[in-house]
Amino acid sequence: TVTEEGSSFPLPGVNVIIKGSTKGTATDFDGNYQLQVTNGDILVFSYVGYVTKEITYSNENTLNVVLAEDAAQLDEVVLIGYGSVKKSDATGSVSLVTTKDFNKGNIVSTDQLLNGKVGGLRITNSGGQPDSALNIRIRGGSSLSGRNDPLIVIDGVPLSNINPAGVSNPLSLVNPNDVESFSVLKDASATAIYGSRASNGVIIITTKKGTSGAPQFNFSTDMSINKAKDGLDMFESNEYVRFIQEYHPELANKLGVTLGSVQTNEAISQIIQVTNSDGDLESRAIYNTDWRDNVLRTAFTSNTNFSSRAYLFNALPFRASVGYTNAEGVVKTDDYERVTASLNLSPKFFDDKLKVTTNAKVTYADKNAADVGGALGGSLVFDPTKPVYNTASDNRFGGYYFNTNVDGNNLILDGQYNPLALLEQRDRPERTTRFLGNLELDYAFDFLPGLRAVVNLGLDASKSDKTERFYDNAAATYRFNSENTDINNNFVFNPGVNYRENQTLTNTTLDAFAQYTKSYNDTFVSKFDAQLGYSYQNFKNDGNSEQYRYNEITGLREVNENPANLNNRYYNEMNLQSFFGRANVDLLDRYLFTFSLRADASSLFVADDPWDSNAWGFFPAAAFAWKIKSENFMKNANFVNDLKLRIGWGKTGQQDITAAVGYYPNTPLFVAGSNSSQYIPGAGLYSALPFNPDLTWEKTTTYNLGIDFSFFKNNFISGSFDIYQKFTDDLLARVTVPPGQGFSDTFVKNVGEIEGKGFEVNLNMNAYQTEDWNISLNGNVGYVYNEVTDIGGQANINRGGSLRGTGSFLLSDVVGEQAQSAYVFKQVYDTNGNPIPGAFVDLNGDNIINDNDRYYAQIAPNWTYGFGLNVSYKKWDLSSGFVGQVGGNLYNFNKLNYGFTDAVVPANNNSITNALNFYDGAANPAFETVNGNIQFSDYFLEDATFLRCNNIVLGYTFDNMIKNGNVRMYGAVSNPFIITDYSGLDPENPGGIERDFYPRPTTFTLGVNFDF
Amino acid sequence: CTDDLDTEPKVELTLEQILEDDPNAIEGIVSRLYASFALSGPNGPGSSDISDDPGESPFLRGIINLQDFTADGMKNRWGDDGLDQLTTTSDWDANNKFFRYLYNRAYYTIPQCNNLISILNTSTDIPDAAEALSEARFLRSLAYFYLIDTFGKGVLATEENLGQTDPLPEATRRQLFDYVESELLEIQPTMAPNNGYGRANKFTAAMLLAKLYMNAEVYIGESRYDAAVTYLNQVIDEGGYRLADNFLENFSGDNDRSPEIIFPLLADAVNSQSFGNTTYIVNGNLSSDTMTLSDFGAAEGWQGHRATEAWYGLFGDLSTSTDTRAELFWTDGHNYTMTDYKEWTDGYPSIKFRNTDFFNPTNLTTSFSSTDFPLYRLADANLMYAECAIRGAAGADLSKARDLVNDVRERANASTITISELTLDFIIDERARELNLEGHRRTDLIRFGRFTGGSYVWPWKGNVQNGASIPEYYNLFPIPEQAISANPNLEQNTGY
């Protein structure tokens, strides 16, 4: 095995050759290699960025080699748009994360490899679901109504912003085991070449390639157990009975069930006597149900991968892999299965003049989209005195307990659905097959050495289908036949298909560019390269659905035919075209200049004429880097291994407002009304849709100053520091239209500005190294502050976040505050520190409490960080990763919604609901109701500062367990603990409001990895 | 290749496409203009034409919230922020979303009308263009009427300035009044006497003119009762409408059969679903806690609205009253006095509107209502005529007024009255008995000088159980903050 000196992690792709021959191989991604040698041969181990090592072979069975990083070179290659550059020559702010840096443990989706590794990059998922939606922010994002997600490019194919139907996390469709590296492009000088979609940064993902050398195989498998942490402190049954009797004695007759009316194996915890609505005494059986326990489970996850690399026919580098993942969510029936296959071929032709690279990745994902929100929400509110099951013969609902009521001739469902039945009475498979592939042709011309032409064709296509199906006796399909008045048999169930959707996404890419590179010796200009190119991207989303409704008379399900759109089709197409150029000039091998310019057109801004000036945006960038270490005056500064200063400026663009206003925002169009939105009988309804003919590009200008450094022996400390400012103008924001002057009250307009500033530090420390020991630390900190500086004269822009009741919102954008801030009142507390409901501080001192006393509190944190520790001792290795944030707020909606004593009172039914425990401090009984402004109190907005341990991994490598290979076994625990003062479920939540949060489980993993 | 940048939609349509594909396209656009008073959006009850909540924001729901809950006869108990302030006529401010809803719906409808008017003015080859044009102009006037009545000013958006992006200047109440008057005077004479059920005709426009003139003293400080009588006479004498034999015919699922309704806002449990049409009124007054939902053809009871004694008190003792309208309150399990407006059992739910058919009652229960909302009906015209006569309008005749009022009362099995009993005090009470929950009450109280101040109080007026005085500026609602922020030419109403 070849390992890295600092971390003792295996090094993949190290060239191993026998000196003086052409015989050689390369290490696989676990650092293993195999070579036929004879005694006395000298083996040369070389790898970019590391000091080459020569070892004379003397009959060892295995020869383990440790390579030291070559600080003077630091020749890691980072990918930039349409090319790559040695890290030491990079002029932009680019972070590289490679295999050795990846997070380990229970990794299901590719983003998990990267979390916490790069300063200024915040990755948050929406919860603990295997396919949970992803929120990635580089430097906090820069738009309001446009997208804030970075552009993701996989092997040269830029991904669409639209996920295939049924896929919440686009990065779950790439097998993490196939990933070789991430390049995170943060500043405009690095991203401007991607122009149109690069305002929020770029993440370039490359997958593993074939190599020359002997065939290598890898087989790995792991098994994980996932368990949710404790939930909210809701009442358990006995406390709930006490609470109802104390606070709402008139509701006591709704506790439990009439004694004897239910048949179940569950134990009755107590029997109480109540006066029922007829004034008679009645015995009620109280059960003790923990609904959360009933919808959650201990979940199992397994990943199995097999890959091989080979040099086929001594000419064709080849890599292929297959992977299988089976991930259960901790909510019952939330199942996820994935099969992946990938193939990479990279042959060369015509004396290596033509390099061909082709990647193909196929993924099939099958998940059951269980109603996890409904089940988790239901498990909070459902009355804990009710049983889970009822097998009495008169129960209609498949053995599950449901609250019912007699209304006229109908036995109607009353109140919440049994949360377990929500999961188990329904099945919603969502299946996606995706192909992601590219073919790159790179031809070097004879007639002018240094000139080459590159054409890259990419295709990202997927097909998805969803089917919703209900089982027999599912409560959701329970209806009445209005022609039958017999309460005992006038009901129907409608098992079977309730919804279907098919979707096809076809995204095509073509890039073509010519590049000319020339190096000079001993001249003022040491290197020059120039590039000119064209890029075409087309995104097509075509789908349709089959919808059903229940016949109002018979209660039977029928197809809901929409005459205006027979198969409920949706169709969206977006097209982007660009011309770009870039020049790099190196002076005296110390001063590096980069200039780039890109012109972009977006179909969103084209009404008819593709050459319309609104359609085109121009995005220039310039950068300068100074390799200080190469200066003569640094020659004697031996403690400095590397020192480079970077200055960059650039503009990038934003056009994706499709989430706010669709794909044809500047064209006057009509939409036909669906069949439940008709008015005059016999006339199909047509509405004019709002549009804005003046829409054009939003532009972000970024200034960046950065330093890369490495100091002391063995790169004791290395890292980078970046400080930046960015200005977004012509901001695309959904704003209020002057009344009467548009076809809706709000629409997107180029209005306003945002200013952002921040800095990032990445540090690595090789703390302690001996023959047996290796201890290293890594860490990063990012500070980001984005302030809205202009919204076109409006008071604020509503950003949603409705709490109790619709139409009143917590979040908005306002000048002088961070984007999407919470607009709240300052809570008044009594002398004991308890909140006084509805009492707020009169901030403006006018003796009236009204909206003028509200203030804005930030949601997004300013500080995020991540750090890790790696230790190895002989064949043992231990690594850990932590992430966290300082500041930022999260609204604890559950504390509001279940934290007032009237929360248990039925609203428009006869079923009481559970609440937070008022007896042990989980909620404050001073809150009787939360109407009016109480919901906007900052009492519910809590500091979301946290430190999470992401993972701890302990491994041991056996290098002689199998012949010609090695075996590594490891155990890992993911998310073992989190430190926070936040009182809700989980402070790591990008939405700003915590509701029915899907718990992030603690995971224990055992894995084994074979290389041979 | 750059032609690919001009992407073409396949589901959404251009005007040319719909005119080409659908011979009824213009009727479909007209249909949408009507629909904007009842439906929330193009794609079922969960969709919204505007950025506001599809459930809460529909036009008709706004009319009920702003005209009935702010007045004496109906209260809502949900305690929703904003609705609570309407129900208690207190703490009104420009951020109250319920003001915004009506404002946004009116200013959604107006440009949609302007767009069709502009299309019809510029395309010559569209059949039946004249009728569609007058319907669109009527509906635009109706939307403006609500702005005049509730906010007292706005901007004058017409087909002339369609597409302009610079904020329009503020238009005063009089400017809007004059515009609506001139529009209606121009189209009314040429409109068809009958244009099919649910569609505006000559008499619908006459009714709107009469409403405008009735309230001219409030709107522009001029007495125009004479003009109101002119148009009421047209409606009463020439319209061919007659009072339904039974009051409930107007408020049941099959009220499209009622001969009394001049202009309904349509609803259908299957094809025309909305949380803001009569569904809001029917379901809102029901609760399985104290009632049987299926008796009213409803599948859901929202446990929200109840009448107050300011309404049912006008019938005297409900258990002995012979007035059939006195039977339309649910008293079982409810208290007469609304001690706490948030308590469901305080006050009587109104069961005037229901979803069951009047002529052939069935066992059918639906989530949405099929009952049309009678925005204008003949009984209203009768009472308006009587009021004009009492106010001394030229051309109005007191004995005719008495007969018209007695027609209304006899239909309800209430005692007839004499000319001497025909007073303004009587009329305002009779309007309550007959028309409450039909979206007229606040306007009526203002016209009678009874809305603000303390001379007339009702339960929870001014957020006090027995009622308290409210300031005079409450005669107008505040201009929504959102509107002022989008158009700086708009100035807030005095007092807010």
Side-chain angles (χ1 to χ4, degrees), chain A residues 522-527 586-591 630-631:
Chain A
D522 301 326
T523 57
F524 178 65
V525 176
S526 45
K527 195 178 162 209
D586 291 9
L587 302 182
L588 299 168
D589 206 18
R590 298 201 280 280
Y591 310 108
S630 307
E631 293 286 355

Side-chain angles (χ1 to χ4, degrees), chain A residues 536 670 678 686 806 851 910, chain B residues 4 13 22 95 97 272 289:
Chain A
Y536 173 99
F670 285 80
Q678 296 299 318
Y686 298 106
T806 56
D851 268 7
N910 290 305
Chain B
D4 288 1
L13 304 157
D22 183 353
N95 282 320
K97 60 187 179 180
S272 217
D289 220 16

Side-chain angles (χ1 to χ4, degrees), chain A residues 61-62 64 875 956-967:
Chain A
N61 264 336
T62 46
N64 291 325
K875 297 191 188 309
Y956 186 84
T957 304
F958 304 86
D959 47 14
N960 44 18
M961 190 188 257
I962 54 172
K963 212 177 165 190
N964 300 326
N966 72 23
V967 179

Side-chain angles (χ1 to χ4, degrees), chain B residues 112-417:
Chain B
Q112 289 282 341
C113 293
N114 290 339
N115 192 41
L116 178 63
I117 291 164
S118 162
I119 291 166
L120 294 171
N121 282 342
T122 49
S123 317
T124 47
D125 53 345
I126 293 171
D128 302 326
E131 201 52 52
L133 194 57
S134 55
E135 286 178 270
R137 289 171 70 182
F138 166 78
L139 292 166
R140 179 171 63 180
S141 294
L142 183 62
Y144 272 123
F145 171 80
Y146 282 104
L147 290 169
I148 295 168
D149 186 72
T150 53
F151 296 99
K153 56 185 177 183
V155 295
L156 193 54
T158 67
E159 72 277 16
E160 304 287 332
N161 54 34
L162 181 66
Q164 179 180 325
T165 51
D166 294 338
L168 293 169
E170 183 173 274
T172 62
R173 206 173 198 181
R174 174 176 279 278
Q175 285 169 330
L176 296 179
F177 183 99
D178 290 346
Y179 178 73
V180 170
E181 182 190 17
S182 69
E183 280 287 291
L184 290 172
L185 289 178
E186 206 177 305
I187 58 172
Q188 197 266 345
T190 61
M191 287 180 83
N194 189 344
N195 205 11
Y197 181 75
R199 300 180 72 154
N201 59 34
K202 192 186 199 69
F203 304 106
T204 317
M207 202 60 190
L208 179 53
L209 268 170
K211 288 265 174 203
L212 197 66
Y213 290 133
M214 286 288 292
N215 295 290
E217 222 161 356
V218 174
Y219 297 159
I220 55 168
E222 285 174 21
S223 164
R224 303 288 290 276
Y225 297 105
D226 306 356
V229 169
T230 309
Y231 289 97
L232 289 168
N233 274 330
Q234 278 194 29
V235 173
I236 294 165
D237 302 336
E238 299 163 26
Y241 303 101
R242 63 176 176 82
L243 294 183
D245 295 338
N246 193 305
F247 186 68
L248 271 181
E249 285 178 43
N250 294 309
F251 308 101
S252 298
D254 49 359
N255 60 353
D256 52 323
R257 296 173 61 175
S258 166
E260 181 177 337
I261 295 176
I262 301 164
F263 185 55
L265 298 178
L266 306 184
D268 186 275
V270 177
N271 297 317
S272 217
Q273 298 178 344
S274 170
F275 294 107
N277 56 19
T278 49
T279 303
Y280 181 57
I281 306 173
V282 174
N283 291 5
N285 275 291
L286 297 176
S287 167
S288 58
D289 220 16
T290 50
M291 311 151 90
T292 297
L293 306 180
S294 55
D295 289 350
F296 304 97
E300 295 170 24
W302 296 350
Q303 205 170 311
H305 327 320
R306 286 127 315 128
T308 72
E309 58 192 291
W311 182 2
Y312 45 76
L314 298 172
F315 295 102
D317 187 343
L318 291 182
S319 58
T320 58
S321 173
T322 60
D323 195 322
T324 52
R325 298 170 300 188
E327 295 163 8
L328 304 178
F329 301 97
W330 187 266
T331 58
D332 270 10
H334 285 256
N335 305 315
Y336 182 87
T337 306
M338 193 176 273
T339 314
D340 179 358
Y341 69 92
K342 288 186 181 169
E343 191 62 56
W344 169 245
T345 51
D346 278 3
Y348 300 154
S350 164
I351 49 172
K352 178 175 172 177
F353 286 88
R354 64 272 311 282
N355 193 26
T356 41
D357 282 357
F358 179 81
F359 291 104
N360 296 305
T362 61
N363 190 38
L364 185 64
T365 64
T366 55
S367 299
F368 290 93
S369 163
S370 285
T371 305
D372 302 333
F373 183 78
L375 188 70
Y376 296 151
R377 62 185 174 94
L378 187 61
D380 187 11
N382 283 8
L383 295 176
M384 285 163 74
Y385 180 95
E387 184 183 331
C388 290
I390 299 167
R391 291 182 191 272
D397 172 61
L398 275 174
S399 55
K400 180 176 175 183
R402 177 203 55 205
D403 294 345
L404 290 173
V405 172
N406 279 335
D407 287 348
V408 171
R409 286 184 60 81
E410 279 172 43
R411 188 257 305 267
N413 200 27
S415 59
T416 55
I417 59 156

Side-chain angles (χ1 to χ4, degrees), chain A residues 515-545:
Chain A
Q515 184 170 20
Y516 177 71
T517 312
K518 189 155 174 68
S519 300
Y520 304 88
N521 287 325
D522 301 326
T523 57
F524 178 65
V525 176
S526 45
K527 195 178 162 209
F528 169 81
D529 95 57
Q531 198 178 11
L532 266 181
Y534 163 78
S535 157
Y536 173 99
Q537 295 173 59
N538 195 69
F539 305 93
K540 202 161 73 183
N541 176 3
D542 195 353
N544 68 284
S545 61

Side-chain angles (χ1 to χ4, degrees), chain A residues 96 105 115 129 155 202 235 240 244 280 296 311 347 387 431 647 665 839 867 960 971:
Chain A
L96 180 71
N115 191 8
Q129 239 177 324
D155 289 332
V202 181
F235 278 124
Y240 185 67
I244 292 290
D280 303 326
L296 296 185
Y311 194 50
R431 304 189 176 97
I647 298 172
F867 61 89
N960 44 18

